[in-house]
Amino acid sequence: MWASDLLLKVSFLVVCQAAAGRAQTNLSSMLAPQADRVMNLSEWEQRWQDNRIGFHQPQVHKMLESHIDKVLNGRSGVRFFFPLCGKAVDMKWLADMGHSVVGVEISEKAIRQFFEENNMTYSEEPVPAISGAKVFKNSEKNISLYQCDMYSFSSAIDGQFGAIWDRGSLVAINPQDREKYAALIISLMAEDCRYLLDTLLYNPELYPGPPFFVPDEQVHSLFGSRCDIETLQSVDAMTDRQREWGLDYLKEAVHLITMKSS
């Protein structure tokens, strides 16, 4: 009986490993068309200089509005982190609700435009721990935006956060950097952090990106070992702009990611 039980357990492990291997192969195959796509920081800065910022939205993002209660989870005065924040109006919206915001953005122009377009007085100062970096703060000190390479930022610079809104960051970074990015995000999550992640699903053979294709399977691959993941909503996001890219469909999904109980 003992030998029979052992054989069953070994067979089960072999089947599980084979299934995991197939899943990884399938994921790699899905990601292959964009796997080697690289955009340098200078290219992003140039987009801001040339005002080629079709990714910027002048209104608060509908996914954030729809799911803000899930993110707050009854909390007030939450510290929000905005990776690759640009000049997102969502930051002012949250600050006006009594929360504080820390953002990271490579473009100084984007940061200055955020404060100026929202009629905020602001200060700037160097960040001693990051060579060449600056931090811009509004006079109320509830919005701090760091102008630096995101991978130079860490919890040692400005602590951990109770919430993260990732609307255009994971879909913008180079695909080959996603594991490094996920490790950074997890390191910035406080135990009670609620991370709202917005992703895009389309046929990556039809468009090189950015924004890049990020399938649900990769969200689980990147965060699933440390975090619980709940897909809150998936909607058809196709517009004429995406048709001009050559896409035949576009789905937008939003996920709520929380730290697993230790």
Side-chain angles (χ1 to χ4, degrees):
M1 182 66 75
W2 181 85
S4 176
D5 288 346
L6 180 60
L7 183 60
L8 283 172
K9 288 178 181 178
V10 170
S11 299
F12 177 73
L13 286 173
V14 170
V15 169
C16 288
Q17 288 173 346
R22 286 194 298 273
Q24 187 59 46
T25 300
N26 290 341
L27 178 58
S28 298
S29 177
M30 282 192 284
L31 298 173
Q34 295 178 337
D36 298 324
R37 179 83 163 96
V38 172
M39 275 194 67
N40 298 318
L41 293 179
S42 59
E43 294 179 75
W44 284 110
E45 288 188 277
Q46 194 60 49
R47 285 193 177 201
W48 280 99
Q49 291 301 324
D50 298 342
N51 203 38
R52 291 185 292 121
I53 53 171
F55 47 83
H56 173 70
Q57 294 192 0
Q59 301 89 23
V60 175
H61 197 282
K62 289 181 179 178
M63 289 293 202
L64 179 61
E65 276 189 317
S66 297
H67 301 289
I68 188 61
D69 288 344
K70 280 248 186 187
V71 176
L72 296 178
N73 199 33
R75 300 172 297 167
S76 59
V78 176
R79 294 187 78 229
F80 274 81
F81 180 62
F82 275 63
L84 304 186
C85 61
K87 58 177 182 177
V89 298
D90 306 6
M91 296 189 287
K92 181 178 185 299
W93 183 69
L94 288 166
D96 287 346
M97 291 169 63
H99 308 294
S100 60
V101 172
V102 172
V104 173
E105 169 58 49
I106 192 60
S107 170
E108 183 172 327
K109 180 179 180 179
I111 292 173
R112 292 186 184 278
Q113 283 186 347
F114 169 77
F115 289 113
E116 291 162 5
E117 291 175 6
N118 288 292
N119 299 311
M120 294 181 182
T121 56
Y122 64 96
S123 61
E124 63 177 277
E125 58 190 68
V127 182
I130 306 175
S131 176
K134 300 177 186 177
V135 60
F136 296 76
K137 299 180 181 180
N138 65 338
S139 55
E140 292 80 13
K141 306 297 183 187
N142 61 350
I143 300 178
S144 301
L145 305 184
Y146 288 82
Q147 188 261 314
C148 64
D149 179 346
M150 185 171 59
Y151 300 115
S152 299
F153 189 80
S154 70
S155 59
I157 305 296
D158 208 333
Q160 292 182 312
F161 300 92
I164 300 173
W165 171 221
D166 186 335
R167 176 252 155 176
S169 188
L170 180 59
V171 298
I173 64 164
N174 294 327
Q176 64 190 27
D177 292 336
R178 286 177 188 164
E179 290 189 4
K180 178 171 67 170
Y181 177 87
L184 172 62
I185 291 294
I186 290 171
S187 76
L188 296 173
M189 295 174 70
E191 285 188 12
D192 66 343
C193 184
R194 299 176 76 80
Y195 169 29
L196 195 66
L197 169 65
D198 192 69
T199 58
L200 298 174
L201 305 172
Y202 60 84
N203 183 351
E205 294 183 353
L206 299 179
Y207 180 66
F212 295 110
F213 161 73
V214 180
D216 296 353
E217 293 88 344
Q218 187 164 43
V219 174
H220 284 266
S221 173
L222 292 171
F223 297 101
S225 65
R226 299 282 305 278
C227 302
D228 292 320
I229 302 164
E230 179 187 0
T231 300
L232 300 179
Q233 190 176 3
S234 178
V235 299
D236 180 359
M238 192 73 167
T239 69
D240 288 340
R241 183 167 177 246
Q242 283 80 46
R243 291 186 184 92
E244 290 174 1
W245 296 350
L247 295 185
D248 51 4
Y249 75 93
L250 179 71
K251 294 283 186 184
E252 182 176 10
V254 66
H255 315 271
L256 182 66
I257 300 175
T258 54
M259 297 297 288
K260 286 183 176 177
S261 304
S262 54

